[in-house]
C-alpha cells in the first residue's frame, strides 16, 4: 500500500503557511488543512463558555461538534455543521490561543481530528507549528517557512486592512514575536523545524516564488505524479 501523500508546512505566525499550503495543495490535487484553525476554534469556545480547565475545554469542543469539513480543496473548521472560519480570527482568540494550545489534552484532541481527516482524505497539505515534528513525522515533504518579524507583521496587516503605518507595524510585530516566543518555549510540541525539514526564509520572496520552490521539492519527492 502506498503511504498517504502528506506535506507538512510549519513556521511562525504570518510566515505565509496557509496561503502557501492552500496553493500547493491545489497544484498537487490534495486537500489543505490549516491546523491553527482547530486551536483557534477550541480557544473561541473556551472564551465564549468561560472555561479554563483543559478537560472542560475539550469536552466543550466535542459537545459543540468541532469538525473539519470539506469545502472545495479546503478542510475548513465548522461547529455543529456551521462554518466558523471567520469568527476565530478575532484579536481576542489570537491573544489567548497560545495558552490554550499549550494544554496537552487540547493538543491530543486536535491531533486526533487532524489524523482522522488526513486518513479520510488519503493525504493532505497540513500547516501549523508541529506538523513535521509531532503530528505527521513521516510526511513525505516537510517545509519550515520563516520571514523577518517586520515582514511578517506587514504581511498580516496588509492581509487585514491594506494600510500600514509604522506605529501599528511595530505593535503587530511585537504581538507576533510574543506569540512565537510562547509557541516556541512550551513543553509540549514547541514550534521548531524538524531535523529533516527544508527551511525557507521567505523575507524577500513573493508568494508565487515560495509556492514554486515547494512544488519543485514536491516533484523531487514524487508527490506530483499520478
Ligand atoms: O495564522 P497564524 O500564524 O496567526 O496562527 P495559526 O496558524 O492560526 O495558529 C494559531 C495558534 O495555534 C498558534 O499561535 C499556536 O499557538 C497554535 N498552533 C499550535 O500550537 N500548533 C499547530 N500545529 C498550529 C497552531
Ligand atoms: O498561515 P500564516 O499565518 O503563516 O500566514 P498566511 O495567513 O498564509 O499569510 C499571511 C499573508 O502574507 C497572506 O496575505 C499572504 O498572501 C502574504 N504573503 C506571503 O504569504 N508570502 C509572501 N512572500 C508575501 C505575502
Amino acid at each position: 500500500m502506498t503511504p498517504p501523500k502528506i506535506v507538512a508546512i510549519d513556521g511562525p505566525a504570518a510566515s505565509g503557511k496557509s496561503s502557501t499550503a492552500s496553493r500547493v495543495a491545489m497544484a498537487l490535487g490534495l486537500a489543505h488543512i490549516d491546523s491553527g484553525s482547530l486551536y483557534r476554534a477550541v480557544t473561541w469556545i473556551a472564551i465564549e463558555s468561560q472555561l479554563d480547565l483543559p478537560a472542560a475545554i475539550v469536552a466543550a469542543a466535542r459537545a459543540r461538534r468541532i469538525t473539519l469539513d470539506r469545502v472545495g480543496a479546503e478542510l475548513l473548521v465548522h461547529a455543529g455543521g456551521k462554518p466558523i472560519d471567520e469568527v476565530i480570527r478575532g484579536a481576542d482568540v489570537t491573544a489567548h490561543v497560545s495558552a490554550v494550545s499549550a494544554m496537552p489534552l487540547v493538543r491530543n484532541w486536535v491531533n486526533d481530528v487532524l489524523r482522522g481527516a488526513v486518513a479520510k482524505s488519503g493525504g493532505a497539505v497540513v500547516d501549523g507549528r508541529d506538523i513535521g515534528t509531532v503530528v505527521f513525522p513521516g510526511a513525505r515533504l516537510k517545509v519550515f517557512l520563516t520571514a523577518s518579524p517586520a515582514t511578517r507583521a506587514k504581511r498580516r496587516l496588509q492581509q487585514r486592512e491594506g494600510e500600514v503605518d509604522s506605529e501599528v507595524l511595530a505593535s503587530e510585530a511585537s504581538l507576533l514575536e510574543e506569540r512565537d516566543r510562547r509557541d516556541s518555549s512550551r513543553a509540549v510540541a514547541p514550534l521548531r523545524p524538524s531535523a529533516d525539514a527544508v527551511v525557507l526564509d521567505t523575507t524577500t520572496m513573493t508568494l508565487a516564488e515560495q509556492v514554486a520552490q515547494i512544488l519543485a521539492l514536491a516533484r523531487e519527492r514524487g508527490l506530483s505524479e499520478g
Side-chain angles (χ1 to χ4, degrees):
M1 208 179 80
T2 45
K5 291 180 173 179
I6 301 175
V7 177
I9 301 186
D10 290 303
S15 53
K17 300 179 298 296
S18 290
S19 318
T20 305
S22 178
R23 284 162 181 75
V24 168
M26 192 74 93
L28 296 178
L30 294 172
H32 166 226
I33 303 176
D34 164 10
S35 64
S37 69
L38 288 170
Y39 288 101
R40 287 177 175 275
V42 175
T43 305
W44 175 66
I45 286 173
I47 294 170
E48 266 206 335
S49 310
Q50 301 187 330
L51 300 170
D52 297 318
L53 297 177
I57 293 174
V58 171
R62 286 187 209 280
R64 294 282 294 271
R65 289 196 296 117
I66 298 295
T67 52
L68 288 172
D69 298 337
R70 188 123 188 181
V71 179
E74 301 288 326
L75 281 170
L76 297 181
V77 69
H78 288 67
K82 293 206 177 71
I84 52 166
D85 201 59
E86 304 270 312
V87 293
I88 58 170
R89 312 272 158 200
D92 205 14
V93 170
T94 302
H96 292 93
V97 66
S98 286
V100 174
S101 308
M103 299 171 178
L105 276 183
V106 168
R107 302 202 72 81
N108 288 344
W109 180 81
V110 167
N111 292 347
D112 286 348
V113 174
L114 291 173
R115 291 180 182 128
V118 169
K120 203 168 148 193
S121 303
V125 180
V126 188
D127 75 85
R129 303 292 188 288
D130 64 339
I131 304 305
T133 51
V134 173
V135 192
F136 296 113
R140 199 115 47 108
L141 172 62
K142 300 177 186 180
V143 177
F144 194 86
L145 290 182
T146 65
S148 71
T151 301
R152 292 189 282 118
K154 195 167 172 194
R155 288 178 187 170
R156 182 50 38 96
L157 290 171
Q158 283 173 337
Q159 183 181 36
R160 258 189 239 137
E161 66 247 356
E163 272 304 293
V164 179
D165 82 41
S166 61
E167 209 171 297
V168 180
L169 189 65
S171 100
E172 183 67 24
S174 81
L175 284 177
L176 290 180
E177 283 184 286
E178 174 58 16
R179 186 145 60 92
D180 294 343
R181 194 193 55 72
R182 285 200 219 127
D183 289 343
S184 307
S185 60
R186 68 180 170 224
V188 185
L191 166 68
R192 62 172 177 82
S194 171
D196 54 353
V198 177
V199 179
L200 272 191
D201 183 341
T202 70
T203 304
T204 60
M205 285 186 202
T206 63
L207 182 60
E209 283 167 347
Q210 68 210 39
V211 170
Q213 289 216 15
I214 295 172
L215 287 176
L217 291 165
R219 268 192 300 278
E220 280 171 21
R221 312 276 168 107
L223 278 158
S224 52
E225 68 214 4

